[in-house]
Amino acid sequence: MKKKKPAVPRALGEFTLASQTLADLSPQAISLLLCTAADITLVLDDTGTIIDIAYGDEALAAELGDEWIGQRWVDTVTEDSHPKIRALLAPPAPGAMRWRQINHPQPDGGTMALSFASHAIPAQGRHPARWFAFGRDQRVTMALQQRLVEAQLSVERDYARFRQAELRYRQLFQMAGEAVLVIDAGTGRVLEANPAAVTMMGTPADKMVGQVFPLGLTARSTKLVAGLLATARRTGRADPVNAELAEGRSAVQVSASLLHQDQSHLLLVRLSRIDSQAAQAHGAESAMLLQLAQGAPDGLVVTDLDGLVQAANAEFLTLCQVAGEEQMRGQSLERWLGRTDVDLGVLVSNLRQRGTVKLFATTLRGEFGANTEVEISAVTVTRSDPMLLGFTVRDVGRRLQPEAAATQALPRSVNQLTELVGRVPMKDIVGETTDLIEKRCIEAALELTRDNRASAAEILGLSRQSLYVKLRRYGLGDLGPGVDK
């Protein structure tokens, strides 16, 4: 392989074979070369006056035209560019090519930036000395530079804002009085722990980071908190749970929420100490609510999802004619509740779909054959594990009907008739409904005619004899012998 010869330094602005490659060029060819080499080429005399212009850029040619011809170059630029023009028209140092950015004023008040380099041609015989100024349009470059500067400033502002936000987060994280842990949702490992968490858990921060959470809890609490974290991963949030630290240090309430950071998922876990006084107050409130439930005038019963009784108050035991709660616990509520075997199934199905049921009318069957008309409201207890169902049972058999004192007693109201479904054959219900409507129509006709039975029969479309038969059937009016109005 031949050894490469070292490069020989070349003189600036000279061709090696200029006498051969440029000697035969015409003025038109030289003009084309100059236009190709620059966006704008100025030809100036020795006083700095522009005597000719050639364009290599269409936009500049359309914008400037020939308006600079005949003007001194220095008069076409802004004041801050005057020293640069004088420097470009000064005798150059040997072999030097100088580029200067020149600003030209625009009619709209802006400036046009062009970068120029100049070269002097001395006088030759009849031809006077001339200057050639080669210009390049810098507006696109300057616009890109401006955008770059603005983007850099924007990045710097965002970086400063993120740094400030991170600093505030760090200060809050370190100064928080409650224990806070940042956990990787995928692996369950502790990523960060604030000083309050280190103090509460009794473990140095360097040993806690990297460990799988939950840690430092009792076995039962570990299982509860693991379920809490699993729920938070699925739904984003979870209801807090009470837990106990290992070695009986204290009781804490643990809450968790899901955070999204870039492509990763984090869990923010907070551990709050449960104040003993607050715990006692909570216990007192629970005891008070339990006492109220036991003494409530309405029946209360709690079952599992299969309808098996878990607990019941005294009023429900009375309605069911059961001596003690032990006899009822573990039995199906269907044994006492419902006109038919499907009532409990309907209740449970609605509870699963909606979570609550209100004013469900049914019957409660006692152990000794007593049937009680009741209304049931129910709710699902979702915070318990497993989920439970709570029922409120109200005796409505002794409830007074509206306007009972103002009107004559009717066999049954329409609502009462519909409640007979499941206990009485439909044929009997329809017959009783027909009698009820017929009786009410006769009463209305007698009221309109002020007890004139002949007019009432005409209004009803009945014969007088048919009307008397129905009056006797329903016990309406005084139908003594020979009485007629």
Side-chain angles (χ1 to χ4, degrees):
M1 183 177 180
K2 293 183 178 181
K3 189 174 182 180
K4 188 177 181 181
K5 295 181 179 180
V8 178
R10 297 285 303 279
L12 184 64
E14 293 184 4
F15 285 97
T16 304
L17 302 174
S19 59
Q20 299 179 18
T21 57
L22 302 178
D24 60 340
L25 294 179
S26 64
Q28 289 79 9
I30 295 174
S31 176
L32 289 174
L33 291 176
L34 294 177
C35 293
T36 304
D39 294 330
I40 180 173
T41 304
L42 307 179
V43 183
L44 306 98
D45 61 16
D46 56 358
T47 64
T49 301
I50 301 172
I51 59 177
D52 203 358
I53 298 177
Y55 293 100
D57 181 86
E58 293 183 2
L60 279 177
E63 188 172 355
L64 297 177
D66 296 334
E67 64 180 38
W68 286 358
I69 296 178
Q71 299 185 50
R72 296 176 64 235
W73 191 15
V74 73
D75 294 335
T76 65
V77 303
T78 58
E79 187 175 354
D80 62 309
S81 296
H82 288 182
K84 299 178 183 179
I85 296 296
R86 289 193 292 267
L88 286 170
L89 297 179
M97 179 69 73
R98 298 165 298 179
W99 288 90
R100 298 286 188 273
Q101 180 174 313
I102 306 300
N103 295 322
H104 296 268
Q106 297 287 89
D108 59 0
T111 58
M112 178 175 59
L114 300 174
S115 182
F116 278 96
S118 62
H119 187 76
I121 303 295
Q124 297 179 359
R126 295 184 300 106
H127 300 287
R130 286 159 293 172
W131 284 90
F132 284 83
F134 306 95
R136 297 172 182 168
D137 192 351
Q138 297 294 314
R139 287 177 294 182
V140 175
T141 303
M142 290 185 64
L144 292 176
Q145 290 176 344
Q146 182 65 28
R147 291 179 62 184
L148 178 62
V149 170
E150 291 175 355
Q152 186 174 0
L153 292 174
S154 177
V155 169
E156 291 178 355
R157 287 193 296 268
D158 291 342
Y159 180 71
R161 186 165 60 251
F162 291 150
R163 286 288 303 273
Q164 293 174 0
E166 183 180 7
L167 179 60
R168 290 193 294 268
Y169 158 74
R170 289 292 175 187
Q171 290 177 341
L172 289 173
F173 188 72
Q174 297 295 326
M175 296 174 60
E178 293 182 338
V180 180
L181 302 173
V182 179
I183 298 172
D184 189 312
T187 63
R189 297 185 181 277
V190 178
L191 301 179
E192 295 184 68
N194 69 342
V198 171
T199 302
M200 178 181 290
M201 307 297 289
T203 304
D206 55 348
K207 293 184 179 180
M208 186 181 301
V209 173
Q211 297 293 321
V212 177
F213 190 83
L215 54 85
L217 305 175
T218 62
R220 178 180 175 277
S221 298
T222 298
K223 185 179 296 184
L224 287 175
V225 174
L228 168 75
L229 299 181
T231 303
R233 289 189 190 98
R234 292 194 309 270
T235 63
R237 297 190 63 84
D239 294 329
V241 299
N242 294 336
E244 296 179 356
L245 298 177
E247 301 177 0
R249 287 195 296 272
S250 63
V252 294
Q253 186 181 69
V254 184
S255 58
S257 59
L258 187 66
L259 300 177
H260 300 279
Q261 181 176 337
D262 296 331
Q263 299 298 323
S264 60
H265 302 281
L266 306 176
L267 286 172
L268 188 65
V269 178
R270 186 181 59 165
L271 296 90
S272 307
R273 293 187 183 274
I274 299 178
D275 185 19
S276 58
Q277 294 182 354
Q280 291 176 0
H282 180 71
E285 292 175 359
S286 299
M288 179 177 63
L289 290 175
L290 181 60
Q291 185 177 1
L292 289 173
Q294 287 292 344
D298 292 333
L300 300 175
V301 60
V302 178
T303 72
D304 60 13
L305 291 177
D306 295 325
L308 301 181
V309 176
Q310 306 296 312
N313 71 344
E315 178 63 22
F316 188 76
L317 297 178
T318 301
L319 291 173
C320 294
Q321 298 178 331
V322 176
E325 187 180 0
E326 293 77 11
Q327 299 178 14
M328 181 175 287
R329 189 179 292 116
Q331 299 291 323
S332 175
L333 186 61
E334 191 177 35
R335 176 176 173 180
W336 299 278
L337 183 66
R339 306 186 187 98
T340 65
D341 296 340
V342 300
D343 280 16
L344 181 60
V346 172
L347 275 171
V348 173
S349 176
N350 279 275
L351 285 173
R352 287 178 180 272
Q353 294 177 7
R354 303 189 180 103
T356 59
V357 172
K358 295 182 179 180
L359 305 179
F360 182 85
T362 185
T363 301
L364 200 66
R365 304 186 300 272
E367 288 289 319
F368 302 111
N371 290 331
T372 307
E373 302 291 332
V374 295
E375 279 181 354
I376 294 181
S377 297
V379 67
T380 56
V381 186
T382 57
R383 291 191 178 183
S384 63
D385 187 16
M387 188 168 63
L388 299 175
L389 307 177
F391 298 85
T392 301
V393 182
R394 173 167 294 179
D395 181 1
V396 296
R398 297 185 299 271
R399 183 177 293 174
L400 295 177
Q401 297 297 327
E403 302 179 359
T407 61
Q408 296 180 359
L410 298 178
R412 292 191 185 274
S413 68
V414 175
N415 290 335
Q416 290 174 326
L417 289 173
T418 58
E419 290 173 3
L420 294 176
V421 175
R423 292 185 294 168
V424 179
M426 188 178 70
K427 183 176 67 173
D428 296 342
I429 297 175
V430 172
E432 188 167 354
T433 305
T434 303
D435 292 344
L436 173 63
I437 296 172
E438 194 173 67
K439 179 179 179 182
R440 293 299 300 270
C441 290
I442 294 172
E443 289 177 338
L446 291 174
E447 184 176 353
L448 287 173
T449 60
R450 297 186 178 183
D451 208 25
N452 187 318
R453 289 161 189 154
S455 299
E458 186 177 354
I459 289 175
L460 294 171
L462 300 174
S463 64
R464 190 180 303 179
Q465 184 178 1
S466 297
L467 177 61
Y468 289 158
V469 171
K470 294 182 183 298
L471 289 176
R472 291 190 181 93
R473 177 180 177 184
Y474 299 124
L476 298 176
D478 183 10
L479 296 177
V483 177
D484 190 15
K485 291 186 179 181

